[in-house]
Amino acid sequence: MTVIDPENAPLTADIPEIDEDERARLKARQLEKIGKWILPAVVMALMIFGWDRIVVWNEIPHYILPGPGRVLSTLIADWAMLFDALLVTLQITLLALAVAVIGGVGLAVLFTQSRLAEMSFYPYAVILQVTPIVSIAPLIFIYVDSRLAGLLICAWLVAFFPILSNTTLGLNSADHNLRDLFRIYGATRWQRLRFLQLPSALPYFLGGLRIAGGLSLIGAVVAEYVAGTGGIGSGLAFRILEAGYRLNIPRMFAALILIAVTGVVIFAGLSFLSHMLLRKWHESAIKREG
Amino acid sequence: MSTSPAPIGQRAPVLHMESVHKVFGGQVVALSDMELQVNEGDFISLLGPSGCGKSTALRLIAGLLHPTRGRITWEGGQGSGDLGVVFQEPTLMPWATVAQNVWLPYRLRGKTYNHVKDEVLEALKLVGLEQFQNAYPRELSGGMKMRVSIARALVTRPRLILMDEPFAALDEITRFRLNNDLLNLKAKIGCTVIFVTHSVFESVFLSDRIVVMAARPGRVIRELQVDAPYPRDETFRTSSEYAAHCRAASDALHIAMGEAA
């Protein structure tokens, strides 16, 4: 039998004790860290390679399916035109998102302050939401003269509902004991809103905002398809339509890639914003051990 | 402030409950004709089984409910900041730091933080958390959160503090420590407390008056006095005097349960 003498035990201060479980966990964490970035990159590389090979081996003409190299060179060649279009689409998307935030949060606050307003108007918010935007958009462009205003209204209609419904849920989910406490201390309606309900609603609002960011881009693109008029000041969706008529398939792909990248950037930006605002106190933003 | 309260018969009154009756939904009698006079420096426990109306009584005093009959009057009227409340959960705002949470009662009265900073830090010092003023609630243990909640209740130096089973969700070791700390606090600032509990031992250790209540309908069936002097410490917990008071309270509680059954 061996008795380990603690005095003469080997120094383990610089080598922390690691058992099987610990090792497995560390390994899993490392795999997670690397895999999160490398695996999607590998999949993408494989897909682009496969795409290229299919085009080359089958000798598919570029007006049916262009190879990735051709799409890239089109993207570079048409950059000036596509970038202008991107700015237009981006402008409508961000404006619509801003108006959706103001409208969604404003309506949510109104609904929680006045039960009468909620009962009167909430059903109509739902009706606006469930009616497909493609079916309303042509009407909007008949009645609204300004093309920009029409596009904005369409994108807003698509984007505002998740913000409204999430913020309403958040405003109503303030801790009931804290509500009682505010009543006991004689808080005014405004104080309750400012110090209790709005902070409680923040995580819900940010969740809605992330959905609305993607939706406002979809709204902007769909509205452009419907609006259809071209010329100066056209967005990416119009460029896709136009390239389609001219059988310029590589440009369609290039514009499509720009739209997808824009969506990802908007989502990432809003996720980052959400993380920064919540990282100090909310469970969703706190990294857990084990 | 006083370190030990005047004898029970000689304290100035703070609040009266006169035949307070509360009926829910027109038929459930939550509280039946409750009489209670709260005096300055009292530590009153409301002890009873669930459904005996002890929490209803507290909510009535807090003004969250209104009596169906009878009245509750504050001696000299109720001013803002006269009341502090501690709930069963710590009920802190997770987005605010410890100091901001304790500031809340003043903030709702329109006082800026710099204006009342000394009071906030003093309250945190009383509960032993002054070095945690910038921490967020999630970084604290259950017992520490409850201390913040207590600091918030006493920051305005209210005339009456209501506590609704504040330590029921804590482990026993933490509960004992907080019981001791609560009595130390009481010795330091001489606060008046109404404490709802269903623990006989807690009520005897903490209070000088125990109001025993029964359920269906919720009512007061007996009032006991625990005349052991403050400060009380661990030696009181093991004394024969403590055991005798516990037995008396326990017997009264048994009667309360028996009457309800």
Side-chain angles (χ1 to χ4, degrees), chain A residues 174-188 191-192 194-203 278-283 286-288, chain B residues 59 62-66 78 80-81 83-89 91-96 101 104-105 107-110 136 138-139 152-154 156:
Chain A
D175 182 274
H176 64 99
N177 278 333
L178 273 172
R179 277 169 190 269
D180 283 350
L181 197 71
F182 272 65
R183 263 183 75 193
I184 289 169
Y185 287 131
T188 61
Q191 284 176 324
R192 198 180 60 210
R194 166 75 187 79
F195 298 135
L196 176 62
Q197 290 179 294
L198 286 177
S200 301
L202 185 65
L278 299 181
R279 74 201 154 103
K280 286 209 169 123
W281 63 275
H282 198 255
E283 288 293 335
I286 294 160
K287 277 216 173 82
R288 286 215 173 280
Chain B
R59 293 176 72 79
L64 293 170
L65 296 173
H66 299 289
Q78 185 190 1
S80 64
L83 193 65
V85 187
V86 180
F87 296 99
Q88 184 170 347
E89 290 93 36
T91 314
L92 303 176
M93 300 178 290
W95 55 82
N101 267 290
L104 182 74
R107 191 182 200 182
L108 294 179
R109 283 156 67 186
Y136 284 83
R138 63 166 190 88
E139 300 168 61
R152 180 181 59 197
L154 55 78
T156 58

